Amino acid sequence: MSYRTSRRTLLATAAATAAAAAVGPALPAYAEARRAPSDRLRRIVSRMSLAEKVGQLFVMRVYGHSATAPDQADIDANMSEMGVRTAAELIAKYHVGGIIYFSWAHNTRDPHQIADLSNGIQRAGLSQPTPVPLLIATDQEHGIVCRVGYPATLFPGAMALGAGGSARDARTVGRIAGAELRALGIRQNYSPDADVNVNPANPVIGVRSFGADPAAVARMVAAEVRGYQEAGIAATAKHFPGHGDTTVDSHTGIPVITHTRQQWEELDAPPFRAAVAAGIDSIMTAHIQFPALDATNDPATLSHPILTGILREELGYRGVIVTDSLGMQGVRDKYGDDRVPVLALRAGADQLLNPPDLAVAWNGVMAAVTSGEISVARLDESILRILELKERRGLFSHPYVSGPGVDRVVGIRPHLAAADAVAERTTTLLANAGGLLPLSRRRHRNVLVVGADPASPSGTTGPPTAVLAKAFTELGFTATALSTGTLPSQAQIDAAVAAARGRDVVVVGTYNAGPGGAQARLVAALGATGVPVVHLAIRNPYDIAHLSGYAASLATYSWTDVELRAAVRVLAGRAAPAGRLPVAVPRGDDPAQVLYPIGYGLSYQR
């Protein structure tokens, strides 16, 4: 059978689920009432120069831990990419309305540094000719996408929460994570992911999605939105109109979604409808072609029929539309970098995120306005939406944060305990031959932990094998870690086999293990030693379909410490395996057939 046949099978299954549990009315009302812009906000807009208005639309990266005194390497990077030395200079020159934080841009070293950076950015914004606070944003999805790391509280990601199935837990995650972000001066989070991952081969969404059941995803999205916004954070549902069925990564190419309009209504739309009904502050676009929704083959980010015709007019959404990063190849393939932001605005977008060359993008919009292609009135519409969001999230009244506020909120013991409890409810037991699990300290004391050690999503946790071994040791086992990587060589496989001899049990973690690949050979070789093998899928639950030689298998959906420690507690019987698959796992030898359906998961027999 072809892969496409498999995908059709999964689509049909998801469509049937959606039909059985439709979410909301066809045109849900926008739950959080939007008042007309206040006279104060209109006066602010009226005082802005054209340059300030254009700048207000942009959300930009900037290198450095400080708004005014970054390290020299970061000054050099800023000069090279933007022609400015610091965040303060960026704001003074381009009047940007927002900044996006990245760990790789050295914005997120530690909580107090982040708070100080946020305050410096706000001082720069409020020092402009027209003082306006900035909307500071980041991608804190948790799980595999996480910009702010330890000692902030790190939670399981979306697919793990989908496995837990608790909307209450999703709301708790949003509320606690949102409170910590707000204490750091971050007021907009590009989360939750509202894509329905019906494609096991999806290279960019995968475990960032809550699952493959549209109704379940919609329920979790709405809950997390409410949690974030109760904490004073603007949540952002992404990636509209739905990025869950693609085999192309929009960072490097342009995906094409082949769903019909009816399939979109049944599969992709429900989570976004639920987000709108929950009063979401912002929705992020997708750099995807969706011919059934717009036959021009423009990316959705640049599509007036999709952003204005469907999102605004059909779904009734009146909040802020933010583009996905304009530096991604999926939006740059068809038009130049000067035209992309102009076309996004014409399509209906409000915020223009992270163009590759800010000068080119900024001047492109300026030229479009001065030529009359985009009217000043059209700019004002977007600026008022952005200012309303800033006002609603308290930036005009409380733009700054404090050191004591950081200490009272970020990474405090109750938050960490909540993360541990949520993680325990997500771990999914897929196989347990002969009742091997839970492991006994008497019969399985000597543990070897081997497998993949992917880099930490936030750069502050891991490596996974060491985290697992330490967690076993803390529970009274004797555990040794041996990293074998995501592409173990034959020498590494042989070393793992040698290390397994004399052990009571081997725990092996896989990361995107494909059919016949090196990780599959590692697991099979370990199984051939006769030592019981426990498999952990530390990213995609689909790995199990390509493996043999294991006696037991669990899915953790991510390799962050909180999920790995929870998995060890489940392995040791300190917690029960409570997760259930939120996606279907197809068979490795026949992808048209389902190996484990949505909702599958084992329990320990008492």
Side-chain angles (χ1 to χ4, degrees):
M1 289 286 185
S2 69
Y3 171 72
R4 185 166 295 276
T5 301
S6 168
R7 188 172 63 84
R8 284 200 301 267
T9 300
L10 292 169
L11 285 172
T13 301
T17 303
V23 178
L27 291 171
Y30 196 49
E32 184 177 329
R34 296 291 191 252
R35 296 172 294 178
S38 68
D39 290 341
R40 181 169 76 117
L41 297 184
R42 292 188 182 278
R43 285 194 299 270
I44 291 172
V45 175
S46 71
R47 292 197 298 268
M48 287 181 176
S49 66
L50 179 58
E52 288 177 312
K53 288 184 176 184
V54 170
Q56 192 64 211
L57 305 174
F58 285 95
V59 180
M60 194 60 187
R61 68 190 178 278
V62 66
Y63 292 88
H65 71 286
S66 165
T68 55
D71 295 338
Q72 186 61 49
D74 292 321
I75 292 174
D76 294 343
N78 287 328
M79 286 296 297
S80 173
E81 295 186 16
M82 291 164 280
V84 299
R85 299 172 70 255
T86 68
E89 290 182 11
L90 175 72
I91 294 163
K93 182 174 182 179
Y94 290 106
H95 317 290
V96 294
I99 296 287
I100 178 172
Y101 285 170
F102 292 106
S103 52
W104 52 259
H106 310 138
N107 304 140
T108 58
R109 291 181 179 177
D110 65 74
H112 283 279
Q113 168 269 315
I114 298 170
D116 290 343
L117 174 60
S118 298
N119 285 340
I121 286 170
Q122 297 300 357
R123 281 192 292 270
L126 295 171
S127 298
Q128 295 184 90
T130 306
V132 179
L134 276 82
L135 191 59
I136 298 172
T138 198
D139 292 288
Q140 191 78 347
E141 296 178 15
H142 292 272
I144 72 167
V145 176
C146 204
R147 311 302 188 197
V148 179
Y150 178 83
T153 305
L154 301 179
F155 282 96
M159 191 169 284
L161 293 174
S166 169
R168 181 177 181 179
D169 280 351
R171 193 165 186 167
T172 295
V173 169
R175 187 173 63 252
I176 292 176
E180 296 200 4
L181 290 176
R182 186 180 175 92
L184 302 174
I186 299 168
R187 301 291 179 92
Q188 184 177 28
N189 191 19
Y190 298 141
S191 185
D193 192 302
D195 302 310
V196 181
N197 198 78
V198 295
N199 191 332
N202 195 320
V204 65
I205 304 302
V207 294
R208 297 168 64 191
S209 162
F210 286 105
D213 175 349
V217 173
R219 186 168 58 91
M220 301 298 279
V221 165
E224 196 163 289
V225 166
R226 291 187 178 100
Y228 276 119
Q229 297 192 176
E230 285 166 357
I233 293 293
T236 308
K238 59 188 186 185
H239 308 79
F240 189 83
H243 209 314
D245 186 12
T246 172
T247 57
V248 175
D249 186 342
S250 51
H251 291 84
T252 57
I254 179 68
V256 180
I257 307 296
T258 58
H259 294 183
T260 65
R261 173 64 192 238
Q262 183 63 29
Q263 285 176 318
W264 178 80
E265 292 282 359
E266 295 173 343
L267 298 171
D268 303 294
F272 292 101
R273 291 186 185 277
V276 172
I280 195 162
D281 278 338
S282 51
I283 291 178
M284 180 179 285
T285 68
H287 304 326
I288 57 174
Q289 292 175 348
F290 210 129
L293 304 184
D294 183 352
T296 67
N297 281 337
D298 277 343
T301 297
L302 311 182
S303 169
H304 189 274
I306 292 175
L307 298 192
T308 297
I310 295 177
L311 182 53
R312 292 276 189 222
E313 296 173 0
E314 292 186 26
L315 271 63
Y317 179 61
R318 299 199 298 274
V320 168
I321 298 176
V322 56
T323 70
D324 205 344
S325 170
L326 298 183
M328 294 165 60
Q329 200 59 38
V331 78
R332 301 174 69 193
D333 273 350
K334 196 172 178 181
Y335 302 101
D337 290 337
D338 60 332
R339 293 297 297 162
V340 167
V342 173
L343 296 174
L345 289 170
R346 291 180 57 181
D350 302 304
Q351 289 184 304
L352 305 169
L353 177 61
N354 205 27
D357 189 320
L358 179 57
V360 168
W362 192 89
N363 285 315
V365 175
M366 283 288 287
V369 177
T370 55
S371 71
E373 181 182 4
I374 295 178
S375 68
V376 173
R378 169 66 189 89
L379 289 189
D380 290 353
E381 288 178 13
S382 286
I383 294 166
L384 281 168
R385 287 192 192 101
I386 294 166
L387 295 186
E388 286 179 88
L389 192 158
K390 293 180 178 183
E391 183 177 58
R392 189 160 56 251
R393 297 304 159 208
L395 279 166
F396 283 98
S397 56
H398 297 94
Y400 300 112
V401 293
S402 70
V406 170
D407 294 333
R408 285 194 299 269
V409 175
V410 178
I412 59 175
R413 186 170 297 178
H415 289 181
L416 298 174
D420 284 337
V422 169
E424 285 184 357
R425 294 189 281 271
T426 68
T427 306
T428 307
L429 179 61
L430 300 177
N432 191 18
L436 172 64
L437 302 180
L439 300 175
S440 160
R441 281 183 299 175
R442 180 173 56 83
R443 290 178 287 112
H444 308 111
R445 178 175 292 275
N446 196 339
V447 181
L448 174 66
V449 179
V450 303
D453 272 335
S456 163
S458 63
T460 61
T461 62
T465 55
V467 172
L468 291 165
K470 181 181 179 183
F472 273 114
T473 300
E474 290 173 347
L475 293 180
F477 294 82
T478 300
T480 303
L482 176 62
S483 178
T484 51
T486 56
L487 290 171
S489 65
Q490 188 59 51
Q492 288 173 309
I493 293 173
D494 292 343
V497 167
R501 295 192 179 101
R503 306 283 180 164
D504 297 321
V505 67
V506 177
V507 176
V508 55
T510 63
Y511 177 96
N512 293 359
Q519 293 183 77
R521 293 197 300 274
L522 170 67
V523 177
L526 290 169
T529 65
V531 178
V533 173
V534 177
H535 164 243
L536 292 182
I538 64 172
R539 181 168 176 164
N540 287 331
Y542 311 113
D543 284 7
I544 190 173
H546 307 296
L547 304 177
S548 62
Y550 58 85
S553 178
L554 288 85
T556 70
Y557 309 97
S558 181
W559 61 98
T560 48
D561 290 11
V562 67
E563 288 165 292
L564 297 178
R565 291 194 305 263
V568 171
R569 292 195 295 276
V570 170
L571 289 173
R574 301 297 181 89
R580 298 293 181 265
L581 281 174
V583 293
V585 175
R587 286 178 50 171
D589 59 347
D590 184 1
Q593 303 299 316
V594 173
L595 177 63
Y596 297 119
I598 293 174
Y600 178 85
L602 301 176
S603 302
Y604 290 152
Q605 300 300 317
R606 298 294 183 185

